[in-house]
Amino acid sequence: MKTKLFSFALSGLVSLCCAQQGNREKLSAYLDSLAIHHKAIGSYALATYGKPDFVKVTGFADAETQQKANMNTQYRIGSVSKILTAVLVMKAVEEKKLSLQTKLSEYFPSVPNAAQITVEQMLQHRTGIHNLTDEAEYFGYHENPQTEKQMVDIIAKYKSDFAPGEKHAYSNSNYILLGYILEKIYKKPYADLIQTKIAKPLKLNLTKVGGKITPKENQANSYLFNNNRFEKTAETDMSVPGGAGNLISTPTELLQFIIALEDGKLISKTSLAQMKNFKDDYGYGLAKVPFINKYGYGHSGRIEEFRSVLFYFPEDKAGISFITNQSDYDVNQNSINMLKTAMNMDFEMPDFKVKTVDLSILQAYEGVYKAPNFPLDIKIFVENNNLMAQATGQGSFPLEVVSDTEFQFMAAGIKIKFNPGKNTFDFKQGGVELVFTKQ
């Protein structure tokens, strides 16, 4: 009887391993397909049983020199940096250098409502502090070095969007200010804090504050793919995003970080539980992540054309992370397919057959469009028989054909539906829905 039971268990384990291996081979083929069809290039990693155990890299670190990316290539991770900033804040709380109820006015009284804004509210984006990256003028200075004073002055000049604590509204300004507060209480640069309190203890040799991108040091540029070629995008100077998004890393190291966080190797379990105190699905630098009937946590990010994701599901001990440096594909769909693979589920391979629309129809859509109370105009134009869009002060991006009137830019989750008889288009991105009118 014992022999039969053992044989059954062993055969079941072999079947599970074979299925898991098959799913990973399918994921590898899927990621290759994304690269071949110029939908996305980058670095991808999975963790199962609480350990990173899959990595896949596609595309270039430097398309101009044809320098291929590898598993040690560093990418800008954008707002995934917020998790690490929040961890540093919680370490400061544990060390009694800071309280979650400390008021912003102790450090930056010039910010509107600073005397009513707490560190906890900043961690949760419940301050009403206006998001500086929502303004068109951001694109006039983001490529140039900025001092703390310059950044604080920019943040402080905007009126508050709502009373502190009233609701959740994502604002990079909160985490830029938190980065500066950490520097003041420790009397050390934010970059040093990342190294001494997170990277070195976990032996994360590729995670740090970024500077000017240097491909010779195995750092990736970001790209748009237009006119059958990679176009390098302008670089944000990393003094601008600061604690909101100035880190570089790899997907494998990000998984190592979040697993160590879950295991209590960075802050106490009590502090982590506070970080997971989700209100409106956002905690302290952590977003609540739904997947089928499960919930995990993590963050996503974007800076230039880099897209980053770091999600972990503690009950399953499964996680995913990826960073792309060119993408015309839906980040959410990438996440779903990777999570399914990490949890030994099958996923549907996409069909990348190209749809086309007559040039005369595309040309009829050309023009500059405006929407009420939206700060940016959107220019629609045809380039090399492809419909393109460009918001004020930003780079252009291609619109993929869905039908004669419907187009999308999957990388940013943008959907546009033209209404030819009205000279308008309906714009959808996330929960935002607007009607733009041709001028």
Side-chain angles (χ1 to χ4, degrees), residues 297-372:
Y297 63 87
H299 216 291
S300 59
R302 177 179 181 180
I303 184 168
E304 296 115 34
E305 291 304 312
F306 295 100
R307 310 285 198 280
S308 55
V309 162
L310 175 60
F311 296 156
Y312 192 66
F313 287 72
E315 289 186 9
D316 298 273
K317 293 189 174 181
I320 68 163
S321 182
F322 62 87
I323 315 167
T324 58
N325 58 326
Q326 176 268 322
S327 179
D328 292 329
Y329 198 67
D330 186 1
V331 171
N332 187 55
Q333 191 59 57
N334 255 352
S335 301
I336 290 170
N337 293 345
M338 290 186 68
L339 280 170
K340 284 184 174 180
T341 305
M343 296 185 188
N344 200 34
M345 303 176 190
D346 195 14
F347 65 90
E348 185 178 346
M349 285 286 262
D351 178 7
F352 292 127
K353 291 180 181 177
V354 178
K355 298 177 182 178
T356 60
V357 173
D358 287 344
L359 181 59
S360 60
I361 294 176
L362 299 181
Q363 290 173 334
Y365 297 145
E366 290 186 305
V368 175
Y369 293 74
K370 294 179 180 289

Side-chain angles (χ1 to χ4, degrees), residues 31-299:
L31 298 175
D32 281 333
S33 184
L34 291 182
I36 290 168
H37 291 91
H38 304 297
K39 297 298 182 183
I41 59 172
S43 186
Y44 311 81
L46 302 179
T48 53
Y49 309 112
K51 292 182 180 180
D53 56 3
F54 171 92
V55 63
K56 173 77 175 184
V57 184
T58 64
F60 302 102
D62 185 9
E64 289 82 359
T65 64
Q66 300 287 291
Q67 177 187 333
K68 291 185 177 181
N70 57 52
M71 63 182 297
N72 292 322
T73 299
Q74 294 168 304
Y75 300 77
R76 293 185 171 190
I77 67 172
S79 287
V80 173
S81 304
K82 290 181 174 67
I83 307 179
L84 286 84
T85 297
V87 168
L88 290 177
V89 170
M90 296 310 291
K91 288 182 79 70
V93 171
E94 289 181 348
E95 295 169 9
K96 302 190 184 307
K97 291 181 175 291
L98 193 66
S99 163
L100 290 173
Q101 301 311 312
T102 298
K103 296 296 196 293
L104 176 59
S105 54
E106 290 189 26
Y107 301 97
F108 300 110
S110 64
V111 176
N113 291 332
Q116 288 79 50
I117 293 170
T118 65
V119 166
E120 182 177 41
Q121 290 168 338
M122 295 172 73
L123 287 166
Q124 294 181 311
H125 296 293
R126 304 184 72 85
T127 62
I129 298 173
H130 187 69
N131 184 13
L132 81 173
T133 60
D134 284 347
E135 296 299 317
E137 71 170 357
Y138 171 81
F139 299 98
Y141 63 80
H142 76 108
E143 296 175 35
N144 303 315
Q146 303 292 318
T147 64
E148 176 190 302
K149 183 180 185 307
Q150 287 174 309
M151 292 302 297
V152 173
D153 286 349
I154 290 169
I155 293 169
K157 75 178 182 179
Y158 299 123
K159 292 181 180 179
S160 179
D161 291 339
F162 52 85
E166 182 179 298
K167 61 181 181 179
H168 167 89
Y170 191 88
S171 174
N172 287 299
S173 303
N174 288 311
Y175 276 74
I176 292 171
L177 293 171
L178 284 171
Y180 293 147
I181 290 172
L182 287 165
E183 291 184 327
K184 290 183 182 301
I185 62 175
Y186 282 108
K187 296 181 172 57
K188 291 181 179 180
Y190 175 82
D192 288 356
L193 299 176
I194 289 292
Q195 288 302 302
T196 58
K197 295 183 176 294
I198 296 177
K200 287 184 179 179
L202 299 182
K203 298 180 181 179
L204 305 178
N205 299 320
L206 301 171
T207 301
K208 63 180 181 179
V209 168
K212 184 171 177 57
I213 295 172
T214 309
K216 289 182 179 179
E217 295 180 9
N218 204 10
Q219 297 172 1
N221 290 314
S222 81
Y223 297 95
L224 289 166
F225 189 79
N226 288 329
N227 305 324
N228 292 315
R229 64 186 180 89
F230 289 97
E231 296 178 0
K232 182 181 171 183
T233 60
E235 288 185 37
T236 301
D237 189 275
M238 295 303 242
S239 63
V240 175
N246 70 356
L247 299 183
I248 60 176
S249 188
T250 70
T252 299
E253 287 206 350
L254 290 177
L255 284 172
Q256 290 171 338
F257 157 74
I258 205 166
I259 291 167
L261 176 62
E262 177 64 26
D263 290 345
K265 294 180 180 178
L266 288 170
I267 55 176
S268 69
K269 294 282 189 177
T270 301
S271 293
L272 178 58
Q274 287 179 288
M275 289 183 68
K276 295 180 185 178
N277 180 25
F278 298 111
K279 292 184 179 180
D280 298 311
D281 293 333
Y282 200 93
Y284 299 175
L286 293 174
K288 188 176 182 180
V289 180
F291 177 67
I292 308 177
N293 59 345
K294 307 170 185 286
Y295 287 95
Y297 63 87
H299 216 291

Side-chain angles (χ1 to χ4, degrees), residues 3-17:
T3 303
K4 289 182 180 179
L5 182 62
F6 178 76
S7 298
F8 175 79
L10 183 61
S11 64
L13 181 61
V14 171
S15 297
L16 176 63
C17 290

